[in-house]
Amino acid sequence: MILLGQRLARLRIARHMTQAEAAVRAGLSRNTAYRLEKGDAGLAIGQVLRYIEAIAPATSLLELLQAEDPALAALEAGEKRKRTRGLSKEELTKLDF
């Protein structure tokens, strides 16, 4: 359930949605949305499915677990470290105090 909760949270973030917005769209309380994203096993599967539908309509539970949503791929690409160039000798001497 923890993996499912993490995927729900990442999908919501990838879709640029707050937890409160997702909860309202799903007809759930924000506390329930929080519990879903934390992987609380005491929640009904229907609540999970409604939350998925609110965040990403037409996305199935299987697609979520396989992380096939394009928004998730875009989020991952944005999170990867960017390669930076090293400083030149001139820049290093300017920084040397």
Side-chain angles (χ1 to χ4, degrees):
M1 284 300 288
I2 292 174
L3 174 66
L4 176 60
Q6 290 171 345
R7 294 276 166 86
L8 284 169
R10 290 189 57 72
L11 180 63
R12 177 184 55 78
I13 292 166
R15 296 290 178 123
H16 306 286
M17 194 178 301
T18 67
Q19 201 173 56
E21 290 170 337
V24 167
R25 286 183 181 191
L28 304 169
S29 69
R30 198 190 82 53
N31 184 48
T32 302
Y34 171 81
R35 289 174 56 202
L36 283 168
E37 291 184 8
K38 290 299 177 189
D40 187 343
L43 298 168
I45 191 70
Q47 292 173 317
V48 174
L49 296 175
R50 284 190 357 225
Y51 198 64
I52 294 170
E53 183 66 26
I55 297 170
T59 299
S60 70
L61 180 58
L62 180 61
E63 290 171 338
L64 176 67
L65 291 174
Q66 292 175 343
E68 293 179 352
D69 193 279
L72 289 173
L75 180 65
E76 268 186 39
E79 290 174 343
K80 288 186 179 176
R81 290 186 179 184
K82 305 281 191 255
R83 187 172 179 185
T84 58
R85 67 173 179 82
L87 296 174
S88 68
K89 284 186 178 185
E90 183 178 301
E91 291 169 323
L92 283 172
T93 56
K94 285 181 184 178
L95 292 174
D96 190 22
F97 297 106

